[in-house]
Amino acid sequence: MGKLKKSRIVACLIAILAVAAIAILIINTDFETVDEHASNASKEALESVTDGISVSILINYSTVFNNYDNLSDGVKNAGILRDDGVLLDKTTVVIEKGKSVYDLLEYVCRVNDIAIEYNGSTYVQGIGYLYEYDCGPVSGWMYKVNGIFPRDACGDYIIEDGDEVEWRYTCTSS
C-alpha cells in the first residue's frame, strides 16, 4: 500500500470517528426551546433565592359563569375556560424580597406557561387569554392581597412574607 493510500484511510477513519463522536453528543444532549430555557432559568434563579419570602398566588375567573351571557363569543368558543373557574390553583412560591404583585404574577405565568398581556408598565390586560372587556364594558382583572383590593397598581404594591395574592376576573354585575 502506498503512503498516499494509507493517509486517505487514516483521514477517513478520523472523519468516521468525528461523526460518531458528534452523533453521541447529539444523542446525549437534552435540547430545549428558547421558552423552556427562559422558564428553566427563571426557576433556577428563584430556587437559588436565599433571602426570599414565601407568598401564595391564585388566579380565578369564576365570576364569568355568573355573567356568561355577557361573555364574548370568542372566549365561549375558544375552550380556554375550566369548569371550576380557576386558571392557577393556589400556589406557594419563594421570591426575592422587594418584588411586586406584578413580578409575582409575571413569574408564575412564565413558569406555568400562562399567557399574560399588559399595557404600559404593569397594567394587566389579559391572563390566560381572558382579557378586559371580554365579559362586558367594565370587566377585567383585579388583584387582592390578604383579601383586600389595594388601591396601588400591581407594579407598585410590594409583597411581604406570607402574603396571599389572588388575581380575580371581575364582570359587570359582580
mmCIF file of all heavy atoms in Angstrom, residues 127-162:
data_model
loop_
_atom_site.group_PDB
_atom_site.id
_atom_site.type_symbol
_atom_site.label_atom_id
_atom_site.label_comp_id
_atom_site.label_asym_id
_atom_site.label_seq_id
_atom_site.Cartn_x
_atom_site.Cartn_y
_atom_site.Cartn_z
ATOM 1 N N ILE A 127 -54.998 37.627 31.158
ATOM 2 C CA ILE A 127 -54.281 36.483 31.721
ATOM 3 C C ILE A 127 -54.948 35.242 31.149
ATOM 4 O O ILE A 127 -56.180 35.115 31.189
ATOM 5 C CB ILE A 127 -54.350 36.446 33.263
ATOM 6 C CG1 ILE A 127 -53.848 37.752 33.883
ATOM 7 C CG2 ILE A 127 -53.563 35.252 33.804
ATOM 8 C CD1 ILE A 127 -54.060 37.842 35.394
ATOM 9 N N GLY A 128 -54.162 34.340 30.626
ATOM 10 C CA GLY A 128 -54.711 33.093 30.100
ATOM 11 C C GLY A 128 -55.724 33.295 28.988
ATOM 12 O O GLY A 128 -56.708 32.571 28.915
ATOM 13 N N TYR A 129 -55.507 34.279 28.164
ATOM 14 C CA TYR A 129 -56.366 34.598 27.013
ATOM 15 C C TYR A 129 -57.745 35.102 27.403
ATOM 16 O O TYR A 129 -58.654 35.126 26.578
ATOM 17 C CB TYR A 129 -56.468 33.412 26.038
ATOM 18 C CG TYR A 129 -55.123 32.946 25.566
ATOM 19 C CD1 TYR A 129 -54.586 31.752 26.027
ATOM 20 C CD2 TYR A 129 -54.368 33.731 24.697
ATOM 21 C CE1 TYR A 129 -53.326 31.339 25.625
ATOM 22 C CE2 TYR A 129 -53.106 33.328 24.286
ATOM 23 C CZ TYR A 129 -52.599 32.131 24.748
ATOM 24 O OH TYR A 129 -51.357 31.733 24.341
ATOM 25 N N LEU A 130 -57.920 35.508 28.651
ATOM 26 C CA LEU A 130 -59.144 36.173 29.092
ATOM 27 C C LEU A 130 -58.771 37.632 29.332
ATOM 28 O O LEU A 130 -57.935 37.930 30.186
ATOM 29 C CB LEU A 130 -59.690 35.512 30.363
ATOM 30 C CG LEU A 130 -61.014 36.042 30.898
ATOM 31 C CD1 LEU A 130 -62.134 35.866 29.863
ATOM 32 C CD2 LEU A 130 -61.390 35.313 32.184
ATOM 33 N N TYR A 131 -59.372 38.523 28.554
ATOM 34 C CA TYR A 131 -58.959 39.922 28.535
ATOM 35 C C TYR A 131 -60.017 40.843 29.132
ATOM 36 O O TYR A 131 -61.190 40.466 29.250
ATOM 37 C CB TYR A 131 -58.685 40.360 27.091
ATOM 38 C CG TYR A 131 -57.515 39.639 26.487
ATOM 39 C CD1 TYR A 131 -57.682 38.459 25.783
ATOM 40 C CD2 TYR A 131 -56.222 40.127 26.647
ATOM 41 C CE1 TYR A 131 -56.602 37.781 25.241
ATOM 42 C CE2 TYR A 131 -55.136 39.462 26.113
ATOM 43 C CZ TYR A 131 -55.338 38.292 25.405
ATOM 44 O OH TYR A 131 -54.264 37.630 24.889
ATOM 45 N N GLU A 132 -59.563 42.058 29.448
ATOM 46 C CA GLU A 132 -60.504 43.074 29.889
ATOM 47 C C GLU A 132 -61.571 43.237 28.802
ATOM 48 O O GLU A 132 -61.293 43.038 27.616
ATOM 49 C CB GLU A 132 -59.780 44.400 30.138
ATOM 50 C CG GLU A 132 -59.096 44.974 28.905
ATOM 51 C CD GLU A 132 -58.329 46.246 29.179
ATOM 52 O OE1 GLU A 132 -58.565 46.907 30.197
ATOM 53 O OE2 GLU A 132 -57.493 46.588 28.335
ATOM 54 N N TYR A 133 -62.781 43.530 29.202
ATOM 55 C CA TYR A 133 -63.945 43.740 28.331
ATOM 56 C C TYR A 133 -64.497 42.454 27.717
ATOM 57 O O TYR A 133 -65.473 42.508 26.982
ATOM 58 C CB TYR A 133 -63.659 44.758 27.214
ATOM 59 C CG TYR A 133 -62.980 46.016 27.690
ATOM 60 C CD1 TYR A 133 -61.814 46.463 27.099
ATOM 61 C CD2 TYR A 133 -63.499 46.757 28.756
ATOM 62 C CE1 TYR A 133 -61.181 47.610 27.537
ATOM 63 C CE2 TYR A 133 -62.866 47.909 29.210
ATOM 64 C CZ TYR A 133 -61.713 48.318 28.592
ATOM 65 O OH TYR A 133 -61.074 49.460 29.030
ATOM 66 N N ASP A 134 -63.895 41.284 27.972
ATOM 67 C CA ASP A 134 -64.436 40.033 27.430
ATOM 68 C C ASP A 134 -65.782 39.672 28.048
ATOM 69 O O ASP A 134 -66.522 38.858 27.501
ATOM 70 C CB ASP A 134 -63.465 38.865 27.645
ATOM 71 C CG ASP A 134 -62.392 38.778 26.573
ATOM 72 O OD1 ASP A 134 -62.537 39.431 25.515
ATOM 73 O OD2 ASP A 134 -61.399 38.061 26.796
ATOM 74 N N CYS A 135 -66.102 40.264 29.189
ATOM 75 C CA CYS A 135 -67.356 39.947 29.879
ATOM 76 C C CYS A 135 -68.157 41.215 30.159
ATOM 77 O O CYS A 135 -68.860 41.317 31.146
ATOM 78 C CB CYS A 135 -67.053 39.195 31.174
ATOM 79 S SG CYS A 135 -68.449 38.259 31.822
ATOM 80 N N GLY A 136 -68.008 42.210 29.307
ATOM 81 C CA GLY A 136 -68.747 43.460 29.464
ATOM 82 C C GLY A 136 -67.821 44.651 29.559
ATOM 83 O O GLY A 136 -66.597 44.508 29.665
ATOM 84 N N PRO A 137 -68.421 45.840 29.544
ATOM 85 C CA PRO A 137 -67.631 47.077 29.448
ATOM 86 C C PRO A 137 -66.778 47.425 30.664
ATOM 87 O O PRO A 137 -65.871 48.247 30.554
ATOM 88 C CB PRO A 137 -68.689 48.162 29.198
ATOM 89 C CG PRO A 137 -69.964 47.572 29.689
ATOM 90 C CD PRO A 137 -69.859 46.088 29.516
ATOM 91 N N VAL A 138 -67.055 46.842 31.823
ATOM 92 C CA VAL A 138 -66.217 47.139 32.990
ATOM 93 C C VAL A 138 -65.564 45.869 33.553
ATOM 94 O O VAL A 138 -65.194 45.824 34.728
ATOM 95 C CB VAL A 138 -67.006 47.880 34.102
ATOM 96 C CG1 VAL A 138 -67.394 49.264 33.647
ATOM 97 C CG2 VAL A 138 -68.213 47.092 34.543
ATOM 98 N N SER A 139 -65.432 44.865 32.722
ATOM 99 C CA SER A 139 -64.824 43.622 33.195
ATOM 100 C C SER A 139 -63.315 43.667 33.003
ATOM 101 O O SER A 139 -62.805 44.376 32.143
ATOM 102 C CB SER A 139 -65.422 42.424 32.449
ATOM 103 O OG SER A 139 -65.147 42.493 31.068
ATOM 104 N N GLY A 140 -62.634 42.893 33.804
ATOM 105 C CA GLY A 140 -61.179 42.826 33.704
ATOM 106 C C GLY A 140 -60.575 42.206 34.942
ATOM 107 O O GLY A 140 -61.273 41.717 35.827
ATOM 108 N N TRP A 141 -59.245 42.242 34.992
ATOM 109 C CA TRP A 141 -58.502 41.606 36.075
ATOM 110 C C TRP A 141 -58.210 42.593 37.195
ATOM 111 O O TRP A 141 -57.770 43.712 36.950
ATOM 112 C CB TRP A 141 -57.193 41.033 35.545
ATOM 113 C CG TRP A 141 -57.413 39.832 34.693
ATOM 114 C CD1 TRP A 141 -57.446 39.795 33.331
ATOM 115 C CD2 TRP A 141 -57.645 38.507 35.140
ATOM 116 N NE1 TRP A 141 -57.691 38.516 32.902
ATOM 117 C CE2 TRP A 141 -57.808 37.690 33.989
ATOM 118 C CE3 TRP A 141 -57.728 37.899 36.392
ATOM 119 C CZ2 TRP A 141 -58.056 36.323 34.072
ATOM 120 C CZ3 TRP A 141 -57.968 36.543 36.468
ATOM 121 C CH2 TRP A 141 -58.128 35.770 35.311
ATOM 122 N N MET A 142 -58.451 42.153 38.440
ATOM 123 C CA MET A 142 -58.102 42.914 39.641
ATOM 124 C C MET A 142 -57.353 41.964 40.574
ATOM 125 O O MET A 142 -57.450 40.750 40.436
ATOM 126 C CB MET A 142 -59.356 43.442 40.334
ATOM 127 C CG MET A 142 -60.143 44.428 39.497
ATOM 128 S SD MET A 142 -61.622 45.004 40.361
ATOM 129 C CE MET A 142 -60.888 45.978 41.677
ATOM 130 N N TYR A 143 -56.638 42.525 41.513
ATOM 131 C CA TYR A 143 -55.937 41.664 42.460
ATOM 132 C C TYR A 143 -56.282 42.031 43.888
ATOM 133 O O TYR A 143 -56.649 43.171 44.189
ATOM 134 C CB TYR A 143 -54.419 41.726 42.238
ATOM 135 C CG TYR A 143 -53.755 42.979 42.742
ATOM 136 C CD1 TYR A 143 -53.165 43.013 44.007
ATOM 137 C CD2 TYR A 143 -53.698 44.124 41.969
ATOM 138 C CE1 TYR A 143 -52.544 44.148 44.476
ATOM 139 C CE2 TYR A 143 -53.085 45.270 42.429
ATOM 140 C CZ TYR A 143 -52.509 45.282 43.685
ATOM 141 O OH TYR A 143 -51.900 46.417 44.154
ATOM 142 N N LYS A 144 -56.175 41.036 44.749
ATOM 143 C CA LYS A 144 -56.347 41.202 46.195
ATOM 144 C C LYS A 144 -55.058 40.752 46.865
ATOM 145 O O LYS A 144 -54.389 39.844 46.375
ATOM 146 C CB LYS A 144 -57.435 40.272 46.744
ATOM 147 C CG LYS A 144 -58.838 40.548 46.346
ATOM 148 C CD LYS A 144 -59.710 39.499 47.060
ATOM 149 C CE LYS A 144 -61.137 39.538 46.639
ATOM 150 N NZ LYS A 144 -61.932 38.524 47.351
ATOM 151 N N VAL A 145 -54.748 41.368 47.978
ATOM 152 C CA VAL A 145 -53.675 40.889 48.843
ATOM 153 C C VAL A 145 -54.281 40.699 50.219
ATOM 154 O O VAL A 145 -54.850 41.638 50.787
ATOM 155 C CB VAL A 145 -52.483 41.866 48.891
ATOM 156 C CG1 VAL A 145 -51.413 41.358 49.849
ATOM 157 C CG2 VAL A 145 -51.900 42.084 47.504
ATOM 158 N N ASN A 146 -54.209 39.471 50.706
ATOM 159 C CA ASN A 146 -54.771 39.121 52.011
ATOM 160 C C ASN A 146 -56.247 39.515 52.112
ATOM 161 O O ASN A 146 -56.703 40.024 53.126
ATOM 162 C CB ASN A 146 -53.943 39.738 53.135
ATOM 163 C CG ASN A 146 -52.500 39.298 53.072
ATOM 164 O OD1 ASN A 146 -52.200 38.157 52.732
ATOM 165 N ND2 ASN A 146 -51.582 40.210 53.367
ATOM 166 N N GLY A 147 -56.988 39.302 51.013
ATOM 167 C CA GLY A 147 -58.430 39.543 50.994
ATOM 168 C C GLY A 147 -58.866 40.967 50.716
ATOM 169 O O GLY A 147 -60.055 41.257 50.703
ATOM 170 N N ILE A 148 -57.929 41.868 50.490
ATOM 171 C CA ILE A 148 -58.255 43.280 50.278
ATOM 172 C C ILE A 148 -57.798 43.718 48.890
ATOM 173 O O ILE A 148 -56.691 43.389 48.464
ATOM 174 C CB ILE A 148 -57.578 44.161 51.356
ATOM 175 C CG1 ILE A 148 -58.101 43.761 52.740
ATOM 176 C CG2 ILE A 148 -57.789 45.645 51.082
ATOM 177 C CD1 ILE A 148 -57.342 44.379 53.888
ATOM 178 N N PHE A 149 -58.658 44.483 48.184
ATOM 179 C CA PHE A 149 -58.285 45.061 46.898
ATOM 180 C C PHE A 149 -57.512 46.356 47.161
ATOM 181 O O PHE A 149 -58.109 47.368 47.532
ATOM 182 C CB PHE A 149 -59.524 45.390 46.052
ATOM 183 C CG PHE A 149 -60.237 44.198 45.511
ATOM 184 C CD1 PHE A 149 -61.451 43.789 46.063
ATOM 185 C CD2 PHE A 149 -59.729 43.487 44.437
ATOM 186 C CE1 PHE A 149 -62.133 42.688 45.553
ATOM 187 C CE2 PHE A 149 -60.398 42.384 43.921
ATOM 188 C CZ PHE A 149 -61.598 41.980 44.484
ATOM 189 N N PRO A 150 -56.193 46.366 46.988
ATOM 190 C CA PRO A 150 -55.418 47.596 47.221
ATOM 191 C C PRO A 150 -55.713 48.651 46.149
ATOM 192 O O PRO A 150 -56.166 48.333 45.056
ATOM 193 C CB PRO A 150 -53.958 47.132 47.103
ATOM 194 C CG PRO A 150 -53.994 45.655 47.225
ATOM 195 C CD PRO A 150 -55.322 45.231 46.692
ATOM 196 N N ARG A 151 -55.409 49.867 46.467
ATOM 197 C CA ARG A 151 -55.574 50.959 45.503
ATOM 198 C C ARG A 151 -54.328 51.116 44.630
ATOM 199 O O ARG A 151 -54.365 51.781 43.615
ATOM 200 C CB ARG A 151 -55.868 52.267 46.226
ATOM 201 C CG ARG A 151 -57.199 52.271 46.934
ATOM 202 C CD ARG A 151 -57.520 53.665 47.446
ATOM 203 N NE ARG A 151 -58.784 53.682 48.146
ATOM 204 C CZ ARG A 151 -59.953 53.940 47.571
ATOM 205 N NH1 ARG A 151 -60.004 54.163 46.280
ATOM 206 N NH2 ARG A 151 -61.059 53.961 48.277
ATOM 207 N N ASP A 152 -53.231 50.512 45.028
ATOM 208 C CA ASP A 152 -51.972 50.638 44.290
ATOM 209 C C ASP A 152 -52.001 49.808 43.016
ATOM 210 O O ASP A 152 -52.614 48.744 42.962
ATOM 211 C CB ASP A 152 -50.791 50.149 45.143
ATOM 212 C CG ASP A 152 -50.605 50.965 46.406
ATOM 213 O OD1 ASP A 152 -50.886 52.173 46.371
ATOM 214 O OD2 ASP A 152 -50.183 50.381 47.418
ATOM 215 N N ALA A 153 -51.290 50.284 42.010
ATOM 216 C CA ALA A 153 -51.084 49.490 40.799
ATOM 217 C C ALA A 153 -50.299 48.242 41.187
ATOM 218 O O ALA A 153 -49.485 48.273 42.118
ATOM 219 C CB ALA A 153 -50.321 50.304 39.760
ATOM 220 N N CYS A 154 -50.517 47.151 40.481
ATOM 221 C CA CYS A 154 -49.869 45.886 40.848
ATOM 222 C C CYS A 154 -48.349 45.971 40.778
ATOM 223 O O CYS A 154 -47.658 45.252 41.491
ATOM 224 C CB CYS A 154 -50.390 44.735 39.994
ATOM 225 S SG CYS A 154 -50.050 44.867 38.231
ATOM 226 N N GLY A 155 -47.827 46.862 39.963
ATOM 227 C CA GLY A 155 -46.384 47.030 39.869
ATOM 228 C C GLY A 155 -45.809 47.844 41.013
ATOM 229 O O GLY A 155 -44.593 47.852 41.238
ATOM 230 N N ASP A 156 -46.684 48.529 41.743
ATOM 231 C CA ASP A 156 -46.244 49.363 42.860
ATOM 232 C C ASP A 156 -46.422 48.693 44.224
ATOM 233 O O ASP A 156 -45.825 49.109 45.208
ATOM 234 C CB ASP A 156 -47.014 50.687 42.873
ATOM 235 C CG ASP A 156 -46.715 51.550 41.660
ATOM 236 O OD1 ASP A 156 -45.606 51.426 41.092
ATOM 237 O OD2 ASP A 156 -47.597 52.341 41.276
ATOM 238 N N TYR A 157 -47.263 47.672 44.278
ATOM 239 C CA TYR A 157 -47.543 47.020 45.546
ATOM 240 C C TYR A 157 -46.472 45.966 45.827
ATOM 241 O O TYR A 157 -46.381 44.961 45.135
ATOM 242 C CB TYR A 157 -48.932 46.365 45.527
ATOM 243 C CG TYR A 157 -49.396 45.921 46.897
ATOM 244 C CD1 TYR A 157 -50.321 46.677 47.604
ATOM 245 C CD2 TYR A 157 -48.907 44.757 47.482
ATOM 246 C CE1 TYR A 157 -50.752 46.280 48.854
ATOM 247 C CE2 TYR A 157 -49.322 44.351 48.732
ATOM 248 C CZ TYR A 157 -50.243 45.119 49.419
ATOM 249 O OH TYR A 157 -50.663 44.725 50.668
ATOM 250 N N ILE A 158 -45.659 46.195 46.839
ATOM 251 C CA ILE A 158 -44.572 45.283 47.201
ATOM 252 C C ILE A 158 -45.121 44.221 48.159
ATOM 253 O O ILE A 158 -45.707 44.542 49.190
ATOM 254 C CB ILE A 158 -43.394 46.045 47.864
ATOM 255 C CG1 ILE A 158 -42.890 47.163 46.943
ATOM 256 C CG2 ILE A 158 -42.278 45.078 48.251
ATOM 257 C CD1 ILE A 158 -42.438 46.691 45.565
ATOM 258 N N ILE A 159 -44.915 42.959 47.778
ATOM 259 C CA ILE A 159 -45.432 41.863 48.595
ATOM 260 C C ILE A 159 -44.494 41.583 49.768
ATOM 261 O O ILE A 159 -43.305 41.884 49.715
ATOM 262 C CB ILE A 159 -45.648 40.591 47.748
ATOM 263 C CG1 ILE A 159 -44.417 40.239 46.918
ATOM 264 C CG2 ILE A 159 -46.867 40.743 46.872
ATOM 265 C CD1 ILE A 159 -44.551 38.994 46.078
ATOM 266 N N GLU A 160 -45.079 41.013 50.809
ATOM 267 C CA GLU A 160 -44.320 40.690 52.011
ATOM 268 C C GLU A 160 -44.469 39.204 52.321
ATOM 269 O O GLU A 160 -45.389 38.548 51.828
ATOM 270 C CB GLU A 160 -44.827 41.526 53.188
ATOM 271 C CG GLU A 160 -44.619 43.025 52.975
ATOM 272 C CD GLU A 160 -45.134 43.854 54.145
ATOM 273 O OE1 GLU A 160 -45.458 43.278 55.206
ATOM 274 O OE2 GLU A 160 -45.201 45.076 53.991
ATOM 275 N N ASP A 161 -43.583 38.698 53.156
ATOM 276 C CA ASP A 161 -43.597 37.290 53.529
ATOM 277 C C ASP A 161 -44.976 36.906 54.063
ATOM 278 O O ASP A 161 -45.543 37.610 54.907
ATOM 279 C CB ASP A 161 -42.524 37.025 54.591
ATOM 280 C CG ASP A 161 -42.296 35.542 54.811
ATOM 281 O OD1 ASP A 161 -42.232 34.799 53.815
ATOM 282 O OD2 ASP A 161 -42.182 35.137 55.983
ATOM 283 N N GLY A 162 -45.514 35.803 53.543
ATOM 284 C CA GLY A 162 -46.802 35.288 54.000
ATOM 285 C C GLY A 162 -48.010 35.863 53.288
ATOM 286 O O GLY A 162 -49.137 35.423 53.548
#
